[in-house]
Amino acid sequence: MMFLKMPRFKKYQLRLISVCFSAFLFMAYWEKIENNIVSHIMSFSYRHLLNRFTFINASLRVNPEDALKYRYLINNERKCADKDVLLLLFVKSSSENFERRQAIRSTWGNETYIEKTLGVTVRVLFALGLHPKPEYRSQLKKELFFEDHRYHDLIQQDFKDTFHNLTLKLLLQLGWKENYCHHSQFLMSADDDVFVHIPNLIRYLQGVGHRNAKDFWIGRVHRGSPPVRDKESKYYVSRDMYPWVSYPDYTAGSGYVLSRDVAARIYQASLTLNASFHIDDVFLGICAKVMNISPKDHLFFSGEGKAPFHSCIYNQMMTSHGHVSDIRETWKRVTEAEVGNVSSGLIRRLYCTVMKVRLLCVPFISNSYPCKAAFF
Ligand SMILES: *[C@@H]1O[C@H](CO)[C@@H](O)[C@H](O)[C@H]1NC(C)=O
Ligand SMILES: *[C@@H]1O[C@H](CO)[C@@H](O)[C@H](O)[C@H]1NC(C)=O
Ligand SMILES: *[C@@H]1O[C@H](CO)[C@@H](O)[C@H](O)[C@H]1NC(C)=O
Ligand SMILES: *[C@@H]1O[C@H](CO)[C@@H](O)[C@H](O)[C@H]1NC(C)=O
Ligand SMILES: *[C@@H]1O[C@H](CO)[C@@H](O)[C@H](O)[C@H]1NC(C)=O
C-alpha cells in the first residue's frame, strides 16, 4: 500500500499561497471588476445625484413632421382583428433567415399550440426590412411572398435591414401595435435567435394581467450603462449623437415585454425624438425616460447568454439567447419537462438551489442569468 505524503506547509506558507491565489483570481477578473465599478459609479452618480435625464427631453427632440416614415411592403393588417389578444410578439428577423422563422413557428411561436394548450391568444409577427444588398432583393421578394402567403405572419417595411437601422425596426413594431393591435394587453420584442419559454411567460403575464397591468416593462435591465466610445465596436456612439456619460435604464433588446399603456406612451415619445440614434434598446430607454417610465428587472430574462440545459432552470426561465440550430431540441426538452412536472417538494427545491448555484454562480461559466437567480 502506498501513502501519499503531503508536503508539510508551515502556517505562514499556507497563508502566502492563499494570498497569491486570491491575487491571481483578482487580476484574472480585474477587467470585469473594473468595468463593473466604473459603470456602477456612473450609474449611481448619474441616476441619483447629478440629474434625472431631463436634458434628453430637450436635446433629442424633433418635429413630429420630421419623424422617419417608411412604407409597408408586406403587412398583415388583420392579424389581430376580432380577437382578444393577450400578447403580441414581434420577432426581429431578416429576410434571409427563413430557417430560423420555421424553427420558431414550429416551437415556441406556434400560435395554434399556444391557444390549445395554454388557452390564450398570442400573435407572432416577424419584423423585416429590405436586404442590405439590392441584388438579392428580387429573389427574396418572391420567397417572402410565398412564405407570407402560407403563414401570414410577416411585416416588412422598405428600410435597409442593417444593425444601424435597428431603431427603424423598433418604430415599425411600435407603430404596428398602435395601428393594428392596440387592444393587445402586452407587447413583446425578441431576436430571432432567442428562445422564449412561452408557457412560463404566459403564466407569468396572466398573473400580471389579472391586476390589469399598467406601467409594466420587464426584461434584463441595464442600469446606467455608459455609451461605448471605442470606434471599433459595433455599439460605438459618437459624442455628437449622445454627449452624456450614461444611458437611462433600458432592457436588453434580445427580449422584453411592455404592457399596452407603456407601449402606447413609448410610441408617442418615439414620434418626438431623433430616431437616428441607432441602438434600438437604448432608444427605447430614452423614449421611456421622456415618459417617466422605468423598467423592472426579471432574473430569468437572459440578456446575452444561453441558459444552461437543466430541468431546474427550465422551471423558471423566460428567455434564453443564442439559439439557432437547437431551438427544436430545446423546445422538446422544455415541453417534456412540462409534462413530467417533477415533484416540487422541499427536497426538490433544495436540490434545485444547489444545482442552480453550481450552474449560475461560478464566475463566467454562464452569462445568462445572475447568481441571485439561484435563490429565486
Ligand atoms: C403547431 O401546433 C399544432 C397543434 O399542436 C400542430 O398541429 C402544428 O403542426 C404546429 N405547427 C407547426 C408549424 O409545427
Ligand atoms: C437605413 O435605411 C435607410 C432607408 O433604406 C437607408 O437610406 C440608410 O442608409 C440605412 N442606414 C444604415 C446605417 O444602414
Ligand atoms: C438627428 O441626429 C442626427 C445625428 O446626431 C443629426 O444629423 C440630424 O440632423 C438629427 N435630425 C433632426 C431631425 O434633428
Ligand atoms: C418633455 O418635454 C415635453 C415638451 O417640451 C413636456 O410636455 C414633457 O412633460 C417633458 N417630459 C418630461 C418627463 O419632463
Ligand atoms: C406541477 O406541480 C405543481 C405542484 O404539484 C402544480 O402546482 C403545478 O400546477 C404543476 N404544473 C403543471 C404544468 O402541471
Side-chain angles (χ1 to χ4, degrees):
M1 240 185 155
M2 241 181 66
F3 286 96
L4 274 178
K5 211 168 179 184
M6 286 291 287
R8 264 197 236 144
F9 289 112
K10 297 218 175 77
K11 229 182 186 164
Y12 79 89
Q13 283 176 317
L14 271 178
R15 209 175 299 150
L16 192 66
I17 290 173
S18 70
V19 167
C20 286
F21 184 68
S22 316
F24 167 76
L25 275 185
F26 187 71
M27 273 157 62
Y29 296 137
W30 172 246
E31 209 177 322
K32 285 243 166 184
I33 294 168
E34 190 193 23
N35 269 339
N36 268 334
I37 291 173
V38 170
S39 61
H40 276 99
I41 293 173
M42 297 239 187
S43 139
F44 187 79
S45 51
Y46 252 72
R47 290 168 65 240
H48 302 293
L49 298 178
L50 287 182
N51 59 64
R52 297 174 192 287
F53 293 98
T54 41
F55 53 82
I56 284 177
N57 199 6
S59 320
L60 296 178
R61 195 156 283 272
V62 293
N63 206 330
E65 279 84 70
D66 293 339
L68 299 163
K69 290 209 173 60
Y70 291 95
R71 226 162 33 90
Y72 282 100
L73 299 173
I74 304 178
N75 196 353
N76 280 287
E77 300 182 11
R78 312 245 343 126
K79 179 88 179 173
C80 266
D82 316 323
K83 271 286 192 182
D84 193 6
V85 180
L86 178 73
L87 173 67
L88 172 63
L89 207 161
F90 290 109
V91 181
K92 294 177 268 183
S93 190
S94 307
S95 307
E96 68 276 21
N97 289 353
F98 173 71
E99 286 303 324
R100 293 191 189 187
R101 292 193 287 277
Q102 279 302 76
I104 291 171
R105 283 181 186 118
S106 59
T107 57
W108 60 263
N110 183 338
E111 293 172 354
T112 320
Y113 174 89
I114 296 170
E115 188 116 36
K116 235 170 66 184
T117 60
L118 301 168
V120 295
T121 304
V122 171
R123 288 290 175 251
V124 180
L125 279 169
F126 296 94
L128 312 170
L130 280 170
H131 195 281
K133 296 214 172 83
E135 61 269 30
Y136 292 139
R137 285 182 195 160
S138 69
Q139 178 62 28
L140 281 167
K141 186 177 166 183
K142 283 183 216 142
E143 291 173 15
L144 289 175
F145 175 82
F146 285 115
E147 185 182 341
D148 188 58
H149 190 70
R150 172 132 193 233
Y151 299 106
H152 308 289
D153 59 3
L154 304 179
I155 48 174
Q156 184 188 31
Q157 276 185 341
D158 62 348
F159 58 82
K160 230 201 260 178
D161 207 338
T162 59
F163 177 78
H164 285 90
N165 264 343
L166 271 177
T167 296
L168 298 183
K169 198 172 271 185
L170 172 67
L171 299 183
L172 163 62
Q173 299 165 60
L174 292 171
W176 200 91
K177 161 93 168 85
E178 183 68 18
N179 288 320
Y180 307 113
C181 202
H182 191 71
H183 56 288
S184 156
Q185 276 200 56
F186 297 97
L187 175 159
M188 177 169 193
S189 178
D191 287 340
D192 65 0
D193 61 346
V194 160
F195 183 87
V196 181
H197 194 308
I198 205 88
N200 284 353
L201 179 70
I202 295 300
R203 278 195 283 270
Y204 180 72
L205 293 181
Q206 282 177 315
V208 174
H210 272 306
R211 283 167 273 135
N212 205 0
K214 273 208 175 324
D215 272 329
F216 177 87
W217 172 22
I218 206 164
R220 167 58 59 87
V221 177
H222 292 270
R223 289 192 199 283
S225 311
V228 174
R229 302 297 191 196
D230 169 10
K231 285 203 170 119
E232 305 292 303
S233 165
K234 72 173 183 172
Y235 295 104
Y236 168 72
V237 167
S238 71
R239 280 175 215 279
D240 285 341
M241 193 173 271
Y242 193 91
W244 308 286
V245 305
S246 169
Y247 291 137
D249 299 352
Y250 66 94
T251 49
S254 55
Y256 55 84
V257 182
L258 313 174
S259 58
R260 173 174 39 202
D261 61 311
V262 169
R265 282 152 72 201
I266 287 181
Y267 170 73
Q268 291 306 331
S270 76
L271 298 177
T272 68
L273 292 172
N274 187 334
S276 66
F277 187 92
H278 62 273
I279 307 176
D280 61 336
D281 45 11
V282 176
F283 183 75
L284 190 130
I286 293 173
C287 294
K289 197 74 220 177
V290 168
M291 290 296 185
N292 259 324
I293 305 167
S294 24
K296 209 172 131 229
D297 196 38
H298 190 294
L299 296 173
F300 283 96
F301 274 77
S302 163
E304 297 271 324
K306 208 183 259 196
F309 265 2
H310 196 281
S311 65
C312 291
I313 302 268
Y314 295 156
N315 287 342
Q316 292 173 292
M317 70 188 271
M318 292 287 182
T319 68
S320 169
H321 198 191
H323 295 266
V324 177
S325 52
D326 61 351
I327 289 221
R328 288 188 170 86
E329 167 78 18
T330 311
W331 178 246
K332 209 164 152 253
R333 293 205 205 184
V334 157
T335 42
E336 275 165 9
E338 187 82 355
V339 174
N341 195 15
V342 236
S343 67
S344 46
L346 182 64
I347 304 283
R348 167 83 185 162
R349 285 225 303 281
L350 276 175
Y351 163 76
C352 274
T353 304
V354 172
M355 286 317 294
K356 285 192 288 179
V357 166
R358 280 186 48 189
L359 293 166
L360 303 176
C361 296
V362 181
F364 318 125
I365 292 279
S366 145
N367 57 348
S368 52
Y369 310 123
C371 174
K372 56 178 181 205
F375 306 96
F376 181 65

